[in-house]
Amino acid sequence: RTADEWRARTIYQLLTDRFAQAPGQENPQLCSNNQNEPEIRHYCGGTFSGIVSKLDYIKNMGFDAIWISPVVKQMDNETEVGVGWHGYWAQDIYQINPHFGTPDDLKNLVKAAHDKDIWVMVDVVANHMGPQEKKTPRTDDYVKAYNPFNKTDHYHVFCLISNYNDQGNVEYCSIGSADDPLPDLDTENPFVVSEYYNWISWLVKEFNFDAIRIDTARHIRQEFWDDFTKSSGVFSIGEIPDGNSGFVGSYQKHMDSTLGYPLYFKLQNLYSNPNANMYEMRDIINSNRNSFNDTRILGNFVDNHDQERFAHKTQDKVLLRNAITFVLLMDGIPIIYQGVEQDFTGAPTGNDPFNREALWPTSYSQTTPTYQFITNINAFRKVVPQSFFTSLSIEAWIDEHIYAFVKDKALIITSNYGGNNPNRDLVIQGNGVWPTGEVLVNVLKCDEKITIDGSLNVPVKIDGEPKVLYPENNLKGSRICGL
Ligand code: ABC
Ligand code: CA
């Protein structure tokens, strides 16, 4: 699938080990206490067949794509920080992680997803292999564990990353900790390079994936990704966890897209903190537009498995709903990380390893307010025309607390007042998007209707909740708000 085909999709991010256990073989006690750190640093029993059994949980929330954690076989040794249940610690890139099932189980997952019109994005790592505690990297004895990179010269000379402002240091040294460094592949070595290009081409074709999420993209020279992404033959989203639009944007010349980290770092602060200044939203949107080839396909998110959960930063659900609304409707491909819909907080820290909660203790409830909230917005995404996804948003109102934008015929209003209802009356300029008398319905609160006034403007009441206003006429037949 190409970038263009992905534009209108909406992605649910899941960790295979934590999403669902195999039907009939459940062990619901396992990892049900998420504060048990030794336990949650090991496998919790999720499998590919488990995902298949819960595809409707994802589908019913309105998602038409999933991002699954890395699928390749992991190192099985213990480290100070557990084992490679998350999938980022490869041992053999040509084998499928047996903890998750067989290669056929993985093919069945992709097939079952496609049958429900759910596309599958697979997470892939080319920067490193898994750690082996208390062993010296880059010795014959150490590298013999890996396949196919089992020679010392397949790896960079060992050093640990010490300075993220030094790109050479970031590319040539290892991520991880001093005790458990992830051996950094020599991605200048012709064998390593061609092996990776062949592998990604094989992996995508063999399992019929629709896109790749590229781990540690900033840890390999940019030119490496040109042929890597071409060899994959599908849409690619790279991970560059940095707040600088110029830096992250430069990667979009070498891959289709990146995760929307620059926007993320702003929005998580702007929406979780009522004292933050919403004018910063304008700045980041402008600098993104100046720095990326195409901001409309960036992967936007409020949470992921590496960052502090939004619901840990603030308990205010009104703020969470504003952040979710923004991410699901602003330019970009939205990504919702598993557990957001269940109001997971990642306690006690909100961060790795506690932000990777197993989902089964929730019994996959589809009635939580956040699950239904996401469902409503995803349903709205299905009724807007394709131009919604190809156009750029237009700022409609901005002040310290409010950010509102127009996309297609939708007016989306967000704020960071949270539960403190400011009771404000605004008149937002319509700029000719809607005719006088047009009735807009808030699709998030169906009894709220607003009529365009004689000056073509939109009179709205700001109460802290996000609003998604859309012409009643354009909703006819959509079943949204009973229309
Ligand atoms: C393990 C333990 C942790 C322990 C750690 C040292 O080792 O679990 O408790 O703290 C996988 C596992 C992790 C595991 C690691 C290391 O491997 O999931 O549990 O941590 O063994 C990707 C994946 C991630 C994965 C890997 C490794 C890479 O999404 O899940 O981790 O394959 C860097 C990398 C990035 C990586 C991330 C975890 O680390 O660049 O690819 N994610 C700055 C840098 C970032 C950097 C980050 C690290 O620090 O810019 O590039 O990410 O903390 C903002 C700034 C940013 C700044 C952030 C922190 O603050 O603008 O620049 O990020 O304000
Ligand atoms: Ca590297």
Side-chain angles (χ1 to χ4, degrees):
R1 300 291 178 170
T2 65
D4 255 335
E5 293 175 292
W6 271 88
R7 267 175 210 285
R9 293 268 149 172
T10 163
I11 304 175
Y12 184 78
Q13 180 198 351
L14 64 85
L15 306 174
T16 299
D17 182 59
R18 302 295 154 94
F19 181 67
Q21 297 171 334
Q25 288 168 266
E26 294 95 342
N27 178 359
Q29 281 316 104
L30 203 54
C31 300
S32 61
N33 172 10
N34 190 60
Q35 313 235 353
N36 184 348
E37 181 168 349
E39 184 177 47
I40 64 169
R41 285 195 178 279
H42 293 83
Y43 284 93
C44 292
T47 67
F48 298 133
S49 64
I51 302 173
V52 173
S53 72
K54 294 287 179 254
L55 280 175
D56 282 339
Y57 173 82
I58 296 169
K59 180 90 186 161
N60 292 345
M61 225 184 320
F63 292 99
D64 47 21
I66 52 176
W67 151 13
I68 61 172
S69 49
V71 298
V72 303
K73 184 159 186 285
Q74 301 288 293
M75 294 299 297
D76 272 326
N77 59 287
E78 278 291 330
T79 76
E80 219 122 72
V81 282
V83 299
W85 64 269
H86 40 67
Y88 295 100
W89 295 352
Q91 185 259 320
D92 182 342
I93 60 173
Y94 285 104
Q95 285 191 59
I96 294 303
N97 189 339
H99 291 273
F100 299 158
T102 64
D104 277 340
D105 292 334
L106 179 53
K107 288 176 190 169
N108 287 341
L109 163 59
V110 177
K111 167 97 175 53
H114 286 171
D115 286 347
K116 293 181 187 289
D117 189 31
I118 294 173
W119 292 355
V120 183
M121 175 163 85
V122 66
D123 204 328
V124 295
V125 186
N127 176 64
H128 54 262
M129 304 296 277
Q132 302 179 53
E133 202 188 18
K134 310 288 187 238
K135 271 199 190 177
T136 316
R138 210 169 186 270
T139 59
D140 291 331
D141 182 43
Y142 185 96
V143 301
K144 70 175 189 222
Y146 305 109
N147 186 47
F149 306 115
N150 56 7
K151 301 236 166 23
T152 51
D153 67 2
H154 296 155
Y155 296 85
H156 286 143
V157 172
F158 178 70
C159 49
L160 204 62
I161 294 176
S162 54
N163 180 7
Y164 269 101
N165 297 317
D166 174 353
Q167 193 54 24
N169 184 267
V170 171
E171 289 177 10
Y172 284 87
C173 295
S174 286
I175 72 163
S177 61
D179 276 334
D180 311 290
L182 311 190
D184 201 63
L185 284 156
D186 182 350
T187 42
E188 289 72 41
N189 176 317
F191 172 79
V192 174
V193 173
S194 72
E195 200 57 32
Y196 261 117
Y197 294 170
N198 292 336
W199 172 76
I200 194 63
S201 161
W202 166 79
L203 185 82
V204 169
K205 278 202 203 80
E206 179 73 9
F207 297 97
N208 204 13
F209 292 120
D210 305 285
I212 56 173
R213 179 269 190 191
I214 302 175
D215 187 68
T216 34
R218 65 175 304 185
H219 295 265
I220 298 182
R221 65 198 163 84
Q222 294 189 333
E223 305 71 44
F224 174 87
W225 300 118
D226 292 324
D227 285 337
F228 184 87
T229 53
K230 257 183 225 117
S231 306
S232 81
V234 290
F235 179 53
S236 52
I237 292 191
E239 181 225 13
I240 301 101
D242 196 278
N244 185 307
S245 311
F247 177 65
V248 182
S250 68
Y251 284 83
Q252 206 181 22
K253 297 186 171 68
H254 305 275
M255 49 190 68
D256 290 324
S257 177
T258 71
L259 291 172
Y261 260 106
L263 185 60
Y264 163 75
F265 284 124
K266 280 293 175 210
L267 80 88
Q268 54 87 25
N269 179 48
L270 291 175
Y271 288 112
S272 67
N273 173 8
N275 297 317
N277 186 344
M278 205 51 104
Y279 277 101
E280 291 181 17
M281 190 65 90
R282 173 189 284 173
D283 300 340
I284 189 68
I285 288 172
N286 286 340
S287 62
N288 278 348
R289 285 181 186 173
N290 290 331
S291 308
F292 287 89
N293 295 343
D294 188 353
T295 53
R296 296 161 301 181
I297 50 174
L298 302 185
N300 291 333
F301 57 96
V302 273
D303 270 16
N304 69 28
H305 62 304
D306 289 338
Q307 304 295 330
E308 184 186 354
R309 281 204 185 263
F310 189 94
H312 188 262
K313 295 189 180 109
T314 171
Q315 303 203 327
D316 189 330
K317 292 286 169 280
V318 183
L319 291 173
L320 176 69
R321 285 194 283 276
N322 277 278
I324 290 175
T325 303
F326 179 86
V327 157
L328 283 176
L329 295 173
M330 176 42 77
D331 310 341
I333 300 175
I335 303 173
I336 299 289
Y337 173 49
Q338 75 171 68
V340 170
E341 73 280 13
Q342 299 292 345
D343 297 331
F344 282 175
T345 65
T349 65
N351 264 302
D352 179 10
F354 303 105
N355 59 3
R356 298 156 175 211
E357 301 97 321
L359 207 56
W360 41 93
T362 68
S363 305
Y364 304 92
S365 167
Q366 302 188 17
T367 56
T368 72
T370 309
Y371 184 103
Q372 297 195 333
F373 186 80
I374 293 169
T375 306
N376 286 344
I377 301 186
N378 274 334
F380 175 67
R381 288 175 57 93
K382 295 287 185 198
V383 299
V384 296
Q386 183 66 17
S387 55
F388 186 94
F389 305 104
T390 53
S391 62
L392 289 174
S393 71
I394 297 164
E395 185 182 293
W397 183 277
I398 189 164
D399 62 33
E400 273 83 358
H401 286 288
I402 301 177
Y403 188 80
F405 57 97
V406 170
K407 236 174 125 70
D408 179 54
K409 290 198 160 2
L411 173 59
I412 295 119
I413 306 172
T414 67
S415 70
N416 64 4
Y417 289 108
N420 298 320
N421 181 349
N423 277 310
R424 285 180 59 190
D425 287 296
L426 292 190
V427 177
I428 296 182
Q429 288 190 6
N431 291 323
V433 176
W434 310 274
T436 297
E438 175 99 87
V439 176
L440 306 183
V441 184
N442 180 2
V443 305
L444 302 177
K445 192 167 171 280
C446 297
D447 58 1
E448 183 178 0
K449 296 187 182 183
I450 292 169
T451 306
I452 303 299
D453 70 17
S455 321
L456 301 182
N457 291 333
V458 201
V460 289
K461 278 214 174 325
I462 301 296
D463 57 8
E465 288 284 350
K467 295 181 201 294
V468 178
L469 299 163
Y470 201 64
E472 193 170 40
N473 280 328
N474 296 65
L475 289 170
K476 294 242 163 75
S478 69
R479 285 153 73 191
I480 286 182
C481 292
L483 292 160

